[in-house]
Structure formats: C-alpha cells, structure tokens
Amino acid sequence: MSQREIIHTDDAPAAIGPYSQAVRAGDTVYLSGQIALDPATMTLVEGGIEAQTRRVFDNLTAVCRAAGGELADVVKLQIYLPDLSHFETVNAIMKEYLAEPFPARAALGVRALPKGAEVEIDGVMVLPD
C-alpha cells in the first residue's frame, strides 16, 4: 500500500478532534467531515441551513484544492442532517457547487452533529491522472 499523506490547509477549519482534514493514499483522498465552521474564527456561521451548507462546501473545496484536486474530483459524498426536512435545500445548494455527472452520495438523518451544526459532509476524492 502506498504511503499516507496528511492534507492540511488554513483555508478550512482545523480539526476539532484527533483526525486530519484529509488523508491521501495513492490517488485517493479521504475527506474528513466538514461542518460549517468559519476557518478564521472556528465558530459556526450564522444564517441557517443555507449558509451552513455553503460554508461546508467551501470548506470541502479548500481541502480538495490543498490535496491537489477540485470538488469536481469527488466520487462519493456522505451528508449528515439532524433535520431531514433540509434535504431539498442541501440538494439545491449541492447543484451550485457540483455539475453532472454528480458523485455517488448518501444522505443520513442523525440525532446531532458537533457544535450543534445543521449539516456535515465528508467524502472521497480520486485525483486525476
């Protein structure tokens, strides 16, 4: 197996636990879950599910770029929502950040997220040749 490379950028929130923003193994990058933390203040953005979802995608974009890719290189996303009534809102915002063909995806209802976040997204990216 290839060597692991830890990915870090100051353009995304620092890890709030014992994990890395992302780990690269070969051409595959495993993106840790992002919540809507502002990287500069490490506080949740205000503005509800729409603002939080955009911040999450901005954070993921920053980590993808730090790893040498783009959000368009993501092949799998997992979305975690404490309130599944936000499903359509997250879908609409996802279409602002990603174009067809969309990555594979799961959307899960969860009891709660760190810091009271309304959405968390993690994923897997495969870097282009």
Side-chain angles (χ1 to χ4, degrees), residues 30 32 38 42 54 59 89 107:
Y30 299 91
S32 290
D38 179 304
M42 291 299 290
R54 284 187 178 89
N59 292 343
T89 300

Side-chain angles (χ1 to χ4, degrees), residues 33-51:
Q34 288 288 329
I35 59 174
L37 293 175
D38 179 304
T41 65
M42 291 299 290
T43 59
L44 279 177
V45 297
E46 296 182 8
I49 189 65
E50 291 181 16

Side-chain angles (χ1 to χ4, degrees), residues 12-58:
I16 59 173
Y19 60 91
S20 302
Q21 290 172 328
V23 176
R24 179 177 177 174
D27 63 355
T28 303
V29 180
Y30 299 91
L31 305 164
S32 290
Q34 288 288 329
I35 59 174
L37 293 175
D38 179 304
T41 65
M42 291 299 290
T43 59
L44 279 177
V45 297
E46 296 182 8
I49 189 65
E50 291 181 16
Q52 286 200 18
T53 304
R54 284 187 178 89
R55 180 76 256 171
V56 167
F57 277 112
D58 290 344

Side-chain angles (χ1 to χ4, degrees), residues 33-100:
Q34 288 288 329
I35 59 174
L37 293 175
D38 179 304
T41 65
M42 291 299 290
T43 59
L44 279 177
V45 297
E46 296 182 8
I49 189 65
E50 291 181 16
Q52 286 200 18
T53 304
R54 284 187 178 89
R55 180 76 256 171
V56 167
F57 277 112
D58 290 344
N59 292 343
L60 287 169
T61 298
V63 176
C64 287
R65 288 182 178 156
E70 294 292 334
L71 195 60
D73 299 317
V74 170
V75 296
K76 173 77 164 110
L77 290 173
Q78 290 80 226
I79 300 172
Y80 307 93
L81 295 165
D83 184 348
L84 284 172
S85 72
H86 295 308
F87 182 77
E88 291 303 325
T89 300
V90 172
N91 281 344
I93 294 168
M94 182 176 160
K95 287 181 182 178
E96 294 174 14
Y97 285 83
L98 292 161
E100 291 188 43

Side-chain angles (χ1 to χ4, degrees), residues 98-110:
L98 292 161
E100 291 188 43
F102 297 115
R105 189 188 83 179
L108 306 166
V110 297

